[in-house]
Amino acid sequence: HVQLVESGGGSVQAGGSLKLSCAVSGLNYNAGCMGWYRQVPGKEREGVASIVTKYRNGGIVYYADSVKGRFTISRDNVDDSTVTLYMSSLQPEDTAMYYCAAEQRSVSWCKMQGGSLDTYTSSGEGTQVTVS
């Protein structure tokens, strides 16, 4: 049973940075993928970034065009069970509830899904990011 707990959200001024963390348990890293999506009330869910957990480096699957060059997803080098989303140059349009999601599937499946994180079966409770 995969469990995910997000942390690190908050309020920041435009141009600022935030780091979101997702503590993971119950996931077999050799066959899985994780990612972040965000949702604003009344709008569709947007996949932000995803990563194949098998590869500590170079396992990036997807970045939304809206965040390329500003956001970075990675597995924590210190804490193996944490996936982080570094967000820089934040803009008001980045304001949303951010959710961590995970799926226990093959590398090929993960790559095929790209930004379609609605296909992932496990997600956390979310953490709010507000940019003003």
Side-chain angles (χ1 to χ4, degrees), residues 3-10 19-23 35-40 45 85 87 96-102 122-130:
Q3 290 186 306
L4 308 163
V5 179
E6 304 97 335
S7 61
K19 171 186 167 183
L20 303 184
S21 297
C22 178
W36 291 87
Y37 66 89
R38 61 189 182 186
Q39 189 148 29
V40 176
R45 176 185 301 185
L85 184 70
M87 306 184 296
M97 185 72 82
Y98 283 73
Y99 298 86
C100 179
S122 300
S123 64
E125 296 294 317
T127 184
Q128 179 67 37
V129 171
T130 302

Side-chain angles (χ1 to χ4, degrees), residues 22-96:
C22 178
V24 186
S25 61
L27 183 71
N28 177 358
Y29 291 117
N30 287 323
C33 39
M34 293 187 63
W36 291 87
Y37 66 89
R38 61 189 182 186
Q39 189 148 29
V40 176
K43 293 189 177 181
E44 285 192 7
R45 176 185 301 185
E46 180 187 16
V48 174
S50 63
I51 188 170
V52 172
T53 56
K54 183 175 182 177
Y55 310 114
R56 179 171 295 283
N57 300 302
I60 309 299
V61 173
Y62 172 85
Y63 283 114
D65 287 342
S66 58
V67 306
K68 281 180 182 175
R70 301 188 299 122
F71 290 14
T72 303
I73 185 172
S74 67
R75 282 183 65 186
D76 196 292
N77 285 326
V78 176
D79 183 351
D80 252 4
S81 63
T82 298
V83 173
T84 59
L85 184 70
Y86 297 91
M87 306 184 296
S88 63
S89 301
L90 284 162
Q91 300 301 316
E93 51 266 34
D94 295 315
T95 295

